[in-house]
């Protein structure tokens, strides 16, 4: 499935990009007056290969949940049970992601790819468990390469199913206590940054715990022999297996699945940013189909976005995860495309254009 998906991904269509830019300039507004919204509309035209691009609705949020063996190293004060408790909260409709999704008219699917407990059945729960949490990435690989591929394919499968069910935009979400530690390790490797630059305070930790967290990330890179000089897909898979989480791998697959279907993917925060780096290492063209929903307060997210060349739509100092930033960005993405569909051109409206 992974090979088939990678083979189906196409880069942005240069003709559609050019047509979209020219069309933006013919709309009844000063050129460039909608700023980043124009860039988003052009980007989605290139991804879809047509101008104007399809409306990115209905949208579907997938929250990928998993636990992390590195939790045992004391990188967060939150107990690991919170992962399963928050999954139950998502399924009951009581989390921030549920509230924001309801406001935006977005469906919510929760995917268990590695929660360290058995979950009861629920209508919006998808079971794709690869394992009961990863191993401790600071002591050796967090998972095997085979597990990494299975998690990638789980994410691809979820994307395929949501698109088949009518979704025309995908939004990434995540849940996993200690997953910002794995994210920092992935970003350090794939973006070639020092761990101190890309490790943040996650759900909120004191200075002593933060220093320990940075040390754990360094230990993980050293133990797994990772230098930040990745150049091939096989090396990318090894690095993902070494220091990633099951949800990182699944989100990377989710991105690839969306790109293969030419459906835009709105990325959430630092976990999605780390996963997008993995997706880009497997096929750079996948990022042509992505929109950065927001900029997380986590420093690693800025490093990931810079490496990917993505400009965030929202910058509200969020650090929640769950898909919250992507959900807030979705109406903006829809508005950008709606302008392309509904605004008249100077010719059609009989409006005199500013002389060039």
């Amino acid at each position: 499935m992974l090979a088939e998906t990678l083979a189906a991904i196409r880069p942005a269509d240069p003709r559609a990009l050019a047509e979209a830019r020219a069309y933006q300039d013919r709309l009844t507004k000063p050129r460039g007056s909608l700023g980043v919204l124009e860039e988003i509309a052009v980007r989605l035209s290139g991804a879809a290969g047509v101008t104007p691009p399809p409306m990115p609705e209905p949208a579907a949020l997938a929250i990928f949940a998993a636990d992390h063996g590195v939790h045992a190293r004391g990188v967060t004060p939150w107990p690991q049970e919170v992962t399963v408790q928050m999954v139950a909260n998502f399924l009951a409709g009581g989390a921030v992601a549920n509230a924001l999704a309801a406001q935006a008219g977005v469906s919510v699917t929760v995917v268990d790819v590695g929660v360290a407990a058995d979950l009861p059945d629920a209508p919006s729960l998808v079971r794709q468990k690869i394992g009961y949490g990863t191993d401790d990435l600071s002591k050796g690989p967090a998972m095997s390469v085979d597990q990494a591929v299975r998690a990638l394919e789980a994410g691809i499968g979820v994307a395929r199913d949501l698109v088949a069910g009518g979704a025309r935009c995908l939004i990434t979400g995540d849940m996993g206590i200690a997953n910002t530690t794995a994210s920092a390790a992935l970003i350090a490797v794939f973006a070639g940054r020092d761990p101190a630059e890309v490790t943040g305070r996650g759900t909120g930790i004191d200075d002593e715990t933060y220093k320990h967290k940075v040390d754990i990330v360094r230990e993980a890179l050293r133990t797994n022999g990772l230098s930040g000089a990745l150049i091939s897909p096989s090396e990318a898979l090894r690095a993902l297996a070494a220091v990633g989480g099951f949800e990182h791998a699944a989100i990377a697959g989710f991105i690839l699945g969306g790109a293969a279907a030419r459906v835009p993917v709105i990325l959430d925060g630092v976990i999605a940013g780390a996963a997008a780096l993995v997706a880009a290492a497997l096929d750079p063209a996948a990022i042509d189909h992505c929109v950065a929903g927001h900029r997380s307060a986590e420093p690693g997210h800025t490093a990931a976005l810079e490496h990917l060349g993505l400009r965030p739509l929202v910058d509200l100092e969020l650090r929640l995860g769950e898909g919250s930033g992507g959900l807030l960005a979705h109406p903006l993405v829809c508005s950008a495309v709606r302008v392309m569909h509904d605004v008249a051109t100077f010719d059609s409206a009989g409006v005199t254009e500013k002389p060039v």
Side-chain angles (χ1 to χ4, degrees), residues 180-213:
T180 59
T181 301
S183 296
L186 286 169
I187 294 168
V189 173
F190 284 88
R193 299 293 191 97
D194 185 88
E197 292 181 68
V198 298
T199 304
R201 295 179 182 265
T203 49
I205 55 178
D206 58 25
D207 291 344
E208 183 178 354
T209 305
Y210 170 72
K211 181 180 181 301
H212 173 64
K213 184 176 177 181

Side-chain angles (χ1 to χ4, degrees), residues 133-229:
T134 57
D135 292 333
D136 180 356
L137 56 83
S138 69
K139 301 299 184 183
M143 65 186 98
S144 68
V145 171
D146 177 68
Q147 287 179 313
V149 171
R150 287 169 54 204
L152 281 161
E153 293 186 337
I156 292 170
V158 171
R160 286 183 177 181
D161 289 346
L162 290 174
V163 171
R168 293 300 173 260
C169 180
L170 303 177
I171 303 174
T172 70
D174 67 88
M175 180 62 218
I177 296 301
N179 64 6
T180 59
T181 301
S183 296
L186 286 169
I187 294 168
V189 173
F190 284 88
R193 299 293 191 97
D194 185 88
E197 292 181 68
V198 298
T199 304
R201 295 179 182 265
T203 49
I205 55 178
D206 58 25
D207 291 344
E208 183 178 354
T209 305
Y210 170 72
K211 181 180 181 301
H212 173 64
K213 184 176 177 181
V214 173
D215 289 341
I216 292 297
V217 174
R218 291 193 192 282
E219 184 178 339
L221 301 188
R222 183 173 60 252
T223 299
N224 287 287
L226 297 173
S227 64

